Amino acid sequence: MRSLWSFALIGSLLSLPLAASVVQAEEPAGAIVEGAGFTLYGTESIKGSDSAKVERDPVCDRSRRPKIFKVEPDEAKPGQKVTIKGENFGTRECFHGVAFSAAGPAKIDYTFVNETTIEATVPDVRPGMSFIDVVAGGGNARSKGFLVQAK
């Protein structure tokens, strides 16, 4: 009986079509270039850009890293303004923002004065030490410790 089942099983497997599926792989639109890695040649350029848009785009100098020299005053209560003095904050269009480490991802109200001065409002956070970060086109800078006072 066992040999009958084996014969039936082998017979059914033999009746299956054995044609191999051939999948045509489409040629990628790029190539591996030594020293450059994968490059896309022959792809269409990004649409929607014209010379007028390029002229309006700000040119941000990413090579000039910002630095914070001092924060005045060096301690303040939530809601009070502080002045951040430094260098390489860039232009208004290239400046990205201010952050307090104690506030996490909260949005901080600030005013861009010029390339060396930013005014920021201390966020409503628990009292204690915090750091102030400025984020500009060339990167970010962190202040020395800043004391957030109790309300």
Side-chain angles (χ1 to χ4, degrees), residues 19-53:
S21 298
V22 177
V23 177
Q24 291 286 332
E26 195 170 304
E27 191 72 24
I32 301 292
V33 176
E34 187 175 334
F38 186 77
T39 180
L40 293 175
Y41 66 91
T43 57
E44 192 171 341
S45 178
I46 298 172
K47 294 182 180 180
S49 189
D50 59 12
S51 61
K53 182 176 180 181

Side-chain angles (χ1 to χ4, degrees), residues 8 22 26 54 61 63 69 86 90-91 98 123 129 131 138-139 149:
V22 177
E26 195 170 304
V54 171
D61 186 358
S63 67
F69 295 139
T91 63
V98 176
M129 292 302 289
F131 294 101
Q149 299 173 329

Side-chain angles (χ1 to χ4, degrees), residues 50-70:
D50 59 12
S51 61
K53 182 176 180 181
V54 171
E55 288 295 321
R56 289 188 311 269
D57 253 358
V59 177
C60 302
D61 186 358
R62 299 197 184 283
S63 67
R64 298 180 65 198
R65 303 231 1 121
K67 292 180 186 167
I68 296 176
F69 295 139
K70 65 180 172 178

